[in-house]
Amino acid sequence: MNAPVSPAAAAEASRLTQPAPPPRRRRRWLLRLLPVVLLLALGLGGSWYWTVGRFLAETDDAYVQGDISVLSARLEADVLAIPVGDNQPVRAGELLMRLDDRDARLQVRQAEASLDEAVAAEATARETLEQLRAQIGAARAQVAQAEAEQVRAAADAGRTRALVGGGWSSRQSNDQAVADQRKAEAGRQAAEAELAVRQRAVAVQQAQLDQAAARREQAAAALDLAHRNASYAEIRAPFDGIAGNRAAQLGQLVRPGQRLLAVAPPPEQLYVVANFKETQLAGMRPGQPVEITVDAIPGVVFHGRVDSFAPGTGSQFSLLPPENATGNFTKIVQRVPVKLVLEPGQDPAALALLRPGLSVVAEVDTRADPGAPRGVLAAAAGTLGLR
């Protein structure tokens, strides 16, 4: 005997046994429109590539760069103070590190004493020169006196000789007059020799004065050098930037040439070096616009321009440049570093996040009209002449 069946169960069984309804018309229309949509998308993509895409040179081999100044010690001393902390913004001329300058100040005092000694030696040489010049005047007067004495002695000898011939004077008087004449001549010659010695002594003393002046200049230069070395005890920021990478600690003994810390430029002075393939450089020129995206700052697009091109490919500046003149050869596409600078007036908050060394993606617009829109619809409208 069969069990009775409820009306609900009978309705469900009837629904399941009915055939499926035919597909709707809307699905048919969608299938018919699908090729049209695909053709339209293909046309828009082709139009964009032909008018925009093929003129965009893009590379991810690009990095943020900055002219980082590495500060080193110029003298051997202990570190006394480090007023700045790591990653702290600094201003140009701000004190970053102070070294012990006691040895340098002692060298300054020693150089000052040497300069005083050299100045005194120069003054002594100058006074000696003036004294010798005065002695030359006295020697010339002695020469004149000797010449006058010679003239008198010669006259007396002549008169005595005449008197002896006339019998009015003795031969002894004549001999005495002749001796006086010869003595006067010898005195004149001695006075002239003394004058020559004094004149030559002036030339020698003038050379000694020049030597003393040179020693004074040398001592003055040594003093300037000592002052300069003393100034190296204070390490100051060369420009506005951010201090970091400190390699010295308080109380540490540092030596000349030892790296102490570095100062990186502020974010607005950073730039990008992009290594483009040589096949991408055909239409690239300085001044063309660039869109830069930084991996560490997603969602932000920085605007820049092409500044300059490196004088050679990156391989030419490597430690071991390639030499392809021997052996087998495989052509490898080379890359040329291109410097990209940021345009002013960009988001300060985004710029503050830039750091040298960050990876970026750079896209250069090499079109004749780089100000034209880059969008797909705008490119299609330009192709159809609608704008």
Side-chain angles (χ1 to χ4, degrees), residues 155-208:
D156 289 346
R159 284 191 300 269
T160 304
R161 188 179 301 107
L163 291 175
V164 171
W168 297 98
S169 177
S170 65
R171 187 172 296 277
Q172 181 180 3
S173 298
N174 182 41
D175 293 341
Q176 182 65 38
V178 172
D180 291 342
Q181 181 183 5
R182 292 177 179 176
K183 183 179 179 180
E185 290 178 356
R188 180 185 60 81
Q189 292 176 358
E192 290 177 349
E194 182 67 20
L195 176 61
V197 170
R198 298 296 180 185
Q199 289 175 340
R200 292 181 180 179
V202 167
V204 173
Q205 188 61 33
Q206 181 64 50
Q208 292 181 353

Side-chain angles (χ1 to χ4, degrees), residues 308-325:
S308 58
F309 299 85
T313 62
S315 60
Q316 295 299 313
F317 298 100
S318 62
L319 182 61
L320 297 174
E323 177 55 60
N324 300 323

Side-chain angles (χ1 to χ4, degrees), residues 125-141:
R126 184 177 291 105
E127 292 298 328
T128 303
L129 179 61
E130 295 299 326
Q131 183 180 5
L132 288 175
R133 287 173 177 171
Q135 291 176 356
I136 287 177
R140 286 175 178 171

